[in-house]
Structures are given as C-alpha cells and as structure tokens.
Amino acid sequence: MKKTIFICAFCVTFLFIPNQTLQAQTFDRSVRTSENFEPTIPHPEQDKSVAKKLADLEKKTGRKPNIVWLIVDDMGYGDPGCYGGGAAIGAATPNMDKFAAEGLKLTSAYSQQTCTSTRSAIRTGRLPFRTGLIRPILAGDVLTQNPWDTEVSIATLLSNAGYYTMLTGKWHIGEAIGMRPHDVGYDEFMGYYPAQKEISQGTDPRRYPALVLNPERMADFEGIKPDDHLQHGFRGGKTIKVSQVKSIEDMGRADQVLTDFTISKIKELAKGDKPFFIDHNFMKVHADNHDNPDYPGLSAAKYAYKNAVVEVDMHIGNIVKALEEEGVLENTFIFITSDNGPQMDGWPDSGYTPFRGAKGSTWEGGVRIPGIAYWPGMIQPGRESDQIFDLMDLFGINLRLAGISTDVLPNNNYYDFMDQSSFLFLEDGLTNREAVYFWFGKELMAIRMKEYKQHIKVIIPKSTHMWIDYSTIQDVGLAPWMFNLYIDPKEEMPVGHRRSAWLATLGAKLKQHGATFKKYPPKNIGL
C-alpha cells in the first residue's frame, strides 16, 4: 500500500512540471526539477546573466570569491537604523545602515524561530525537522544519535572545493565530539559552543542568585552545564581551551576578542592562495547582555541590550574595514543578518520588531529578520527588495560562488535551500523562491507565499512578551488564519474568506510540502 501511494504521489508531482512550465502566469510559479530539491521559480535568462557576471569576476581576479557571513544573535528586525530602529530607539547602527545603503536590503528575509534551528538550517540547507536539530541542545539533554552523521555541511563542501573555512563565535549546534564545528567541516573554529546566557548564568549572582549563591546547586550545575571556555579547534579534532569565562566582564569582552581574531585571520588569509569562508557569529545580542567593560554605555539608551547592538555594529564595521584594507573587499560576498527575531522574554534585555510575535514564535516577529547583502562592484548600491528570501538560501549561494554542483549532495536527503545568486547579484534580479515554510519543532505552522501568510497552528502568549516561557500552541479552528502582509503586516485580521482568492492554493502548497516528509522521513535525535 505504501509503495502504491508513493508511485501515485510521484506521478502527480511529475505531471505538474510541464503544465507549470507552459503556464508561466500560474499563481504558483515554482517548478520541481529534481525530486529531492525544493521547487524553484525558473528564470533561465537571469541564471545565464549571473553565471556570466561571476565568470567575468573570476577571470578578473583569478580566483573564486571569498564569503563572509556576519550573524548577530537574536537581533530584531527593527533594531538596525536601516530597518526603522537605530538612533530612533537609542542605539545607532551607522555601519549596518551604510552597508544596506550601498548594497541590497531585503525586507522579507526569513529565519527559523530559534537559534539552533536557524544555525543548523543554513549550514545543512535543510529544515530543522529533517535533521532533528529542532531546538537548542540544553544542559541535561541526551541525544540518541549524532545528527551530523547523515548531513553534509556547507563548510565541508567549501573546504573540499579549495576554500579555507572558519567559524568564529557562537556555534550552538552541539559540543560533543563529532558535533563541533571542526568535526563537521570547518578547518578552524574559535568561539563558544553555547549561547552567552548559558555561559554567564553561572557567574552572575544578581540574575541567578539561587544558583550562584547556593554551593550545593552550583556543584550540581557543574555536572551538567555547557562548556564555558573559549575554544580553538582545528579540523581533525585538535582542540585547545583558550580561556574560561569566570565573570560577566569576561562575557562582556567576548565579542571584542572574537572580532580581533577574525580580523587577524583576514589579514593572514588575504595573503594566501586560497579563497576563504568566514562564518562569524556574534555572542551578542542574545540575553543575557553584559557591557564590554572597555566600552561602557556605548548607546544613547545606556541599557545593556542597546549597548550590545551598538558594539556589534562597531565590530561589523571593523571586519569589513579589514577586508578593504587587505584589498579583498571587491572579491568578497558579505551577508549580515540575525538568526531569529528578538527574545522578548528577556525584556528589557531584548530587541525590537514592528511585527507580531518574537523569538520562539512563527509569527512575523519571530522569523522575519534583517538581511543585508553587500558586495562592492557586484551588488548594485541602493537596492531594496520585498521578494522572499530564506536564510537557507545562503547554502545555495555559497555552492554557486564556489562552483560546486548539487550533484555532490546525497540523494537520500531532501534539500530546502535554493540558489538565489541571480536574485542578489543582478540589478533587476527576481527571487527564485515561491514560498517559505515555518515550523515549530515537529509542528508545521505556517507558509508565506507572495504577500500572503497562512497559519494552520499558532503560538499564543499568556502574558506580555512571554513568547517562549508562557505560551501555548493551538490549532486555528474552522479555517486557516490567512493574512495579507501588505495591508496587515502585524497579522491582526485574517482575510481568507473575505479578501483573498488564494486560501485553498496556499493550503495545497502546504500539503505538497508535508508530503516530502513521507518520501524523506525526518530524523529524531531525542530532542
């Protein structure tokens, strides 16, 4: 019976391909060209144009382009000035604003709803439910298997293609041997395995007195706490514990130490004969934020979170400046983003979003994040686009930049990323993505397609800002909750049966997405 169902489902999918190709004006423009890859909107001429543009650059420079990701932790959509925040809310971000003005500002860029989920998705090109990495691995968790055993990371692919691959800063996708950055493809790692709150809580008596001031509980905590050392790891397993976080001052200085390291590596790698991939992940602005004692009160607001935003913006500026000073900026693709929306549960140690929801939810506030693509000479300055982009698409862009074919990926995995190089690098580039799907752990929650967002399950907080610690998941009831984000960006008034003809269309798209998990079952790693 299962075999018969599979054959029928496959035939239906296959038969839709020529029909969609012939009818380019259908609402769902995407076409599935491979069974285990997400359907994309075909733009053949656009794809030829970007291939030529990249080939011309490689001919000019004599090497593949460098790639730098700058990932802020828990920064809200409304925190940078270029997204409506900045000086207006007490934390100026002149560097992010500059790079947005001189590059491409994406206004519909999407992450997953929490840290580990996004960080795993962009490095595997696969949704967290497929890999099993559906939430952070917390103190006391016991995994039933290593999720990386059947995954191929973007770092592995780039390293094998001749890139030097390095991850700096926060990892948050496992600290056991076999799950560390330098175990899964990165040539070098300098950073911390967990989030900064998980490190600093053992040294902060004002926020955690019941732990820090209780010797018996501290003794218990020592047995389960995540590693609190700055780690320096190398591909092959060699790992050095550089220093331990013993105070909130140590934690406050962490991003300066990490930025200094990244800048030193840029100076070294720029003189080498390999292109490089630097995956720089800030510890801030994830709660708990502690001022860098060398830069107290950096922001106009003076609150720890706002000071953290200003500090991170300063570090972003200095990293890009180092690329320029070393003469490699024009051959380096830079992407600046956040791993999810603001963690409002930590308020006022939290960011800002103009949208409903926050980190931990699949409302826009939890998953719509800043996305700035910057590449002098390759990305037209002053571009802004509301077309859909998923952070998983960085996986596909990296493959294109490195000249790696998707044929090297295992065909028993389903891949959710797509190559968005033509969208980002062409002045008139269009998105190749028709839809973004939102999951909460093992629950399929919602879809965004064009300007429409449809929820089949929702997260409801039970108190102000309590999107994680005091919330519930519930079914939506008689009909999906469908919003037009162009007239209702805060998702306050469903329009499915009143002002939209596409309720059933988005529902069908959700069903097609769900069907991919039958052919390619998700992993359960014990989370």
Side-chain angles (χ1 to χ4, degrees):
M1 179 60 70
K2 288 184 179 179
K3 184 176 181 181
T4 304
I5 292 172
F6 161 64
I7 292 172
C8 293
F10 176 75
C11 291
V12 170
T13 302
F14 182 79
L15 288 171
F16 274 163
I17 292 174
N19 184 49
Q20 289 178 319
T21 304
L22 290 172
Q23 299 179 30
Q25 299 304 311
T26 55
F27 189 80
D28 182 358
R29 301 160 294 174
S30 63
V31 175
R32 187 183 299 281
T33 57
S34 180
E35 188 186 29
N36 66 319
F37 284 84
E38 185 68 11
T40 61
I41 304 170
H43 293 125
E45 293 305 314
Q46 181 173 289
D47 194 61
K48 289 179 184 176
S49 295
V50 79
K52 182 179 185 305
K53 190 172 184 178
L54 291 170
D56 289 346
L57 179 68
E58 186 173 351
K59 184 177 180 181
K60 175 184 175 182
T61 62
R63 61 196 299 170
K64 298 291 184 185
N66 307 308
I67 302 163
V68 175
W69 293 353
L70 300 171
I71 303 173
V72 188
D73 200 359
D74 289 6
M75 180 172 67
Y77 182 97
D79 280 328
C82 50
Y83 286 88
I89 56 172
T93 55
N95 292 296
M96 283 187 272
D97 300 350
K98 175 181 183 291
F99 301 136
E102 296 178 359
L104 168 60
K105 182 177 80 170
L106 298 169
T107 56
S108 285
Y110 287 96
S111 66
Q112 307 299 310
Q113 43 77 33
T114 193
C115 305
T116 295
S117 301
T118 295
R119 292 167 187 275
S120 65
I122 62 176
R123 293 171 181 114
T124 62
R126 293 178 6 102
L127 281 164
F129 186 36
R130 299 192 195 279
T131 64
L133 290 161
I134 58 174
R135 65 163 175 82
I137 302 166
L138 303 174
D141 278 334
V142 178
L143 300 186
T144 56
Q145 62 174 301
N146 181 354
W148 290 99
D149 286 345
T150 54
E151 303 297 329
V152 181
S153 76
I154 190 61
T156 294
L157 295 166
L158 289 174
S159 185
N160 292 345
Y163 275 70
Y164 191 83
T165 59
M166 182 183 82
L167 189 139
T168 315
K170 178 185 174 182
W171 174 235
H172 219 202
I173 320 179
E175 60 184 70
I177 293 175
M179 294 186 66
R180 304 169 301 180
H182 47 301
D183 296 327
V184 301
Y186 288 91
D187 295 310
E188 189 171 3
F189 167 60
M190 176 68 85
Y192 298 90
Y193 298 131
Q196 63 180 10
K197 180 260 183 185
E198 296 165 22
I199 300 172
S200 64
Q201 62 189 353
T203 63
D204 189 352
R206 293 194 65 181
R207 296 198 192 198
Y208 306 96
L211 171 64
V212 179
L213 303 180
N214 186 321
E216 290 183 0
R217 291 184 184 176
M218 276 300 297
D220 289 341
F221 183 65
E222 286 293 328
I224 63 168
K225 73 176 184 179
D227 199 298
D228 55 5
H229 289 80
L230 176 63
Q231 310 277 346
H232 195 182
F234 300 88
R235 192 170 186 177
K238 179 184 176 182
T239 311
I240 301 166
K241 293 190 175 187
V242 178
S243 60
Q244 186 178 23
V245 173
K246 297 181 178 179
S247 67
I248 59 174
E249 288 77 19
D250 289 343
M251 196 76 260
R253 284 192 174 96
D255 275 310
Q256 181 67 66
V257 172
L258 295 165
T259 298
D260 289 346
F261 181 81
T262 288
I263 289 173
S264 71
K265 291 299 294 188
I266 288 171
K267 292 177 179 179
E268 174 190 326
L269 294 169
K271 295 177 176 64
D273 57 1
K274 279 187 173 187
F276 54 80
F277 169 44
I278 295 178
D279 186 350
H280 186 102
N281 300 260
F282 295 97
M283 302 301 291
K284 292 172 176 170
V285 290
H286 188 298
D288 299 328
N289 284 287
H290 300 288
D291 275 6
N292 183 332
D294 301 322
Y295 307 111
L298 272 178
S299 72
K302 305 305 177 189
Y303 278 79
Y305 180 88
K306 302 292 186 176
N307 297 338
V309 170
V310 173
E311 184 187 350
V312 164
D313 182 76
M314 177 181 69
H315 295 323
I316 288 172
N318 288 334
I319 289 170
V320 177
K321 182 181 178 183
L323 293 165
E324 184 176 23
E325 289 177 345
E326 296 304 314
V328 296
L329 183 59
E330 292 189 355
N331 198 34
T332 302
F333 167 57
I334 300 168
F335 197 86
I336 304 164
T337 191
S338 174
D339 61 348
N340 44 246
Q343 184 176 306
M344 294 304 296
D345 293 64
W347 190 90
D349 190 3
S350 64
Y352 174 69
T353 178
F355 305 116
R356 181 176 183 174
K359 176 183 179 179
S361 81
T362 48
W363 298 100
E364 291 290 283
V367 291
R368 202 194 297 202
I369 37 82
I372 300 169
Y374 180 67
W375 192 353
M378 285 294 285
I379 294 178
Q380 183 72 20
R383 282 185 65 201
E384 181 173 329
S385 177
D386 192 56
Q387 296 191 55
I388 295 174
F389 184 88
D390 191 301
L391 289 187
M392 282 188 293
D393 298 340
L394 291 171
F395 190 101
I397 292 170
N398 280 20
L399 293 184
R400 168 62 74 98
L401 294 179
I404 302 171
S405 169
T406 57
D407 292 342
V408 303
L409 297 172
N411 58 16
N412 58 333
N413 283 347
Y414 187 94
Y415 287 93
D416 302 279
F417 75 87
M418 56 192 64
D419 176 12
Q420 293 271 42
S421 302
S422 59
F423 173 31
L424 267 55
F425 304 148
L426 298 180
E427 182 178 356
D428 55 353
L430 302 173
T431 186
N432 298 307
R433 177 173 287 280
E434 189 68 281
V436 174
Y437 303 97
F438 305 100
W439 288 75
F440 184 93
K442 301 176 182 180
E443 301 284 349
L444 179 56
M445 304 289 287
I447 177 176
R448 168 146 184 208
M449 189 171 176
K450 298 183 172 65
E451 70 267 34
Y452 297 104
K453 177 90 171 282
Q454 185 177 106
H455 299 256
I456 55 175
K457 292 178 183 286
V458 290
I459 292 174
I460 303 296
K462 297 300 181 181
S463 185
T464 304
H465 297 330
M466 292 287 101
W467 291 96
I468 300 175
D469 289 341
Y470 197 23
S471 64
T472 59
I473 298 177
Q474 68 180 51
D475 294 331
V476 294
L478 294 177
W481 291 3
M482 184 167 178
F483 302 92
N484 182 328
L485 298 177
Y486 282 172
I487 63 173
D488 180 22
K490 291 181 180 292
E491 298 173 284
E492 293 175 325
M493 184 59 67
V495 295
H497 281 89
R498 295 184 297 113
R499 290 186 177 270
S500 176
W502 307 110
L503 187 67
T505 303
L506 268 69
K509 190 77 170 170
L510 275 169
K511 289 180 180 178
Q512 291 170 15
H513 174 66
T516 65
F517 291 86
K518 296 179 181 178
K519 170 64 176 174
Y520 302 93
K523 282 186 282 188
N524 184 349
I525 65 170
L527 291 180

mmCIF file of all heavy atoms in Angstrom, residues 124 277 353:
data_model
loop_
_atom_site.group_PDB
_atom_site.id
_atom_site.type_symbol
_atom_site.label_atom_id
_atom_site.label_comp_id
_atom_site.label_asym_id
_atom_site.label_seq_id
_atom_site.Cartn_x
_atom_site.Cartn_y
_atom_site.Cartn_z
ATOM 1 N N THR A 124 23.194 23.244 6.677
ATOM 2 C CA THR A 124 22.854 21.966 6.029
ATOM 3 C C THR A 124 21.979 22.156 4.791
ATOM 4 O O THR A 124 21.845 21.225 3.994
ATOM 5 C CB THR A 124 22.094 21.044 7.002
ATOM 6 O OG1 THR A 124 20.855 21.669 7.376
ATOM 7 C CG2 THR A 124 22.918 20.764 8.255
ATOM 8 N N PHE A 277 36.089 31.230 3.494
ATOM 9 C CA PHE A 277 34.725 31.355 4.003
ATOM 10 C C PHE A 277 34.832 31.604 5.494
ATOM 11 O O PHE A 277 35.265 30.732 6.253
ATOM 12 C CB PHE A 277 33.931 30.079 3.717
ATOM 13 C CG PHE A 277 32.598 29.991 4.431
ATOM 14 C CD1 PHE A 277 31.724 31.069 4.495
ATOM 15 C CD2 PHE A 277 32.201 28.790 5.033
ATOM 16 C CE1 PHE A 277 30.506 30.984 5.150
ATOM 17 C CE2 PHE A 277 30.971 28.682 5.675
ATOM 18 C CZ PHE A 277 30.125 29.776 5.745
ATOM 19 N N THR A 353 10.925 44.517 17.247
ATOM 20 C CA THR A 353 10.364 44.177 15.947
ATOM 21 C C THR A 353 9.027 44.879 15.818
ATOM 22 O O THR A 353 8.272 44.967 16.801
ATOM 23 C CB THR A 353 10.177 42.653 15.770
ATOM 24 O OG1 THR A 353 9.569 42.402 14.490
ATOM 25 C CG2 THR A 353 9.315 42.051 16.864
#
